[in-house]
Amino acid sequence: EHEKVAEINYIMRRGFIVKTYGILLSQLALSTAFIALTFIPAIKREILRNFDNPLILVFLIVFVIVTIVVFIVFGCCRETARKVPTNYILLFSFTLCMSFYLSLLCSTFDTETVISALFLTCAATIGLTIYASRTTTDFTYCGGFLFAFCFILLISFALFFWIGYYAFYCGLGVMLYSLYIIYDTQLILGKFGVEYNIDDYCFAALNLYKS
């Protein structure tokens, strides 16, 4: 009986993992499509020429509002966040806003720099995911630390940028990203008895995507 229950749990967890990473790949595909548009010289020039357009400011305000609403719902209203299609609508809204924001950001950099960052991020994510799935070190207790680290990093952004330590700030951001990938992967796999609920696939995909 115990083995049968364990097998059912394994099948359900495997289905949860497949669904989570399927959603994540869809999010990344959408963001990549938006970013790829900035590789077209005519579109890139048009974006840079309209950076002072009031519509950009309106979008940024909408982006902040959508981000806050999505994270509040997923973080504090779990039952609402587990309902279909509410969870998909919230996740798609956030991904769409983030994709447009990333395309604006990437348009300010050289295409070669963006592509290099893309490949380096993919390599780091794959490596960290493999590490998180195989290591015997438990990172699932780090939730509070990661939240505090993220909060401090956001608050200190203006200071680091103002005094010229932008590279140092980026380094801290990469460290935080790495820890979040390991932390979220272990929660998704449920390796150490601490795991996402199988109905939290959108929340799990959101956490991996934002990292």
Side-chain angles (χ1 to χ4, degrees):
E1 184 68 26
H2 178 72
E3 291 182 357
K4 187 175 181 180
V5 172
E7 183 180 356
I8 292 174
N9 289 337
Y10 171 75
I11 293 173
M12 293 176 66
R13 177 58 49 177
R14 186 173 60 182
F16 167 76
I17 293 171
V18 171
K19 185 179 289 188
T20 298
Y21 278 93
I23 293 171
L24 176 63
L25 287 175
S26 300
Q27 291 177 276
L28 294 177
L30 179 62
S31 297
T32 302
F34 269 78
I35 293 172
L37 291 175
T38 66
F39 297 165
I40 302 174
I43 294 179
K44 187 172 185 176
R45 284 195 302 269
E46 194 64 25
I47 293 175
L48 293 176
R49 189 162 48 235
N50 289 280
F51 248 97
D52 56 349
N53 193 312
L55 289 177
I56 299 295
L57 178 59
V58 171
F59 161 74
L60 292 176
I61 294 173
V62 171
F63 169 65
V64 171
I65 293 174
V66 169
T67 300
I68 293 173
V69 169
V70 169
F71 276 92
I72 287 176
V73 173
F74 275 103
C76 304
C77 309
R78 288 296 180 87
E79 291 305 316
T80 302
R82 289 168 182 165
K83 292 180 180 178
V84 179
T86 303
N87 52 0
Y88 286 110
I89 292 173
L90 289 171
L91 192 62
F92 177 75
S93 299
F94 172 77
T95 305
L96 188 64
C97 288
M98 179 62 78
S99 299
F100 188 66
Y101 170 76
L102 289 173
S103 66
L104 292 177
L105 185 64
C106 290
S107 67
T108 63
F109 294 91
D110 294 334
T111 300
E112 294 77 10
T113 302
V114 175
I115 293 175
S116 297
L118 174 64
F119 280 108
L120 288 173
T121 302
C122 288
T125 302
I126 293 171
L128 290 169
T129 301
I130 293 173
Y131 171 77
S133 63
R134 295 181 177 275
T135 183
T136 57
T137 303
D138 182 9
F139 285 86
T140 57
Y141 65 88
C142 295
F145 165 75
L146 290 175
F147 176 81
F149 192 2
C150 185
F151 183 75
I152 292 171
L153 198 63
L154 289 173
I155 295 299
S156 60
F157 171 73
L159 177 62
F160 281 127
F161 187 82
W162 180 60
I163 61 179
Y165 291 129
Y166 188 67
F168 176 67
Y169 176 82
C170 288
L172 290 179
V174 171
M175 289 173 57
L176 179 62
Y177 155 78
S178 301
L179 289 172
Y180 259 115
I181 288 293
I182 297 173
Y183 171 76
D184 285 322
T185 300
Q186 289 188 345
L187 286 179
I188 290 171
L189 296 177
K191 287 187 61 181
F192 297 97
V194 182
E195 58 191 37
Y196 286 116
N197 186 290
I198 58 172
D199 293 322
D200 287 333
Y201 44 87
C202 281
F203 183 55
L206 173 66
N207 281 331
L208 282 175
Y209 176 80
K210 71 175 176 59
S211 297

